[in-house]
Amino acid sequence: YAILDCEEWIKQKGFTSSKELALDILEKVHVATVPGTDFGYPQGLRLAFCEARYNEGIDRLHDYFTA
């Protein structure tokens, strides 16, 4: 697992929480993340690397954050 700090991204994009960010990522690039609020990181996302296609997921996240 890893926690991705998204505080600046959340502020820049006008999200009110990491839950909104996680939903936006799921809708736009079809990658499931877990809002950090559930793990004590309200401005972060929890990423799990437990799927054989995790490289594809990372590429999609890269596309999301660089678009």
Side-chain angles (χ1 to χ4, degrees):
Y1 298 101
I3 300 292
L4 181 62
D5 181 2
C6 300
E7 183 173 3
E8 290 301 317
W9 184 266
I10 289 170
K11 287 179 186 176
Q12 288 177 4
K13 300 300 179 181
F15 294 116
T16 60
S17 69
S18 61
K19 289 182 182 187
E20 284 186 11
L21 175 58
L23 182 58
D24 194 55
I25 290 170
L26 182 61
E27 290 173 349
K28 290 183 176 168
V29 295
H30 310 287
V31 173
T33 61
V34 179
T37 53
D38 298 339
F39 298 94
Y41 298 98
Q43 302 300 317
L45 294 173
R46 185 174 186 235
L47 308 176
F49 303 100
C50 56
E51 167 63 43
R53 295 173 46 197
Y54 71 86
N55 283 326
E56 180 182 349
I58 291 169
D59 290 342
R60 289 181 185 198
L61 286 173
H62 177 268
D63 291 345
Y64 176 85
F65 284 110
T66 57

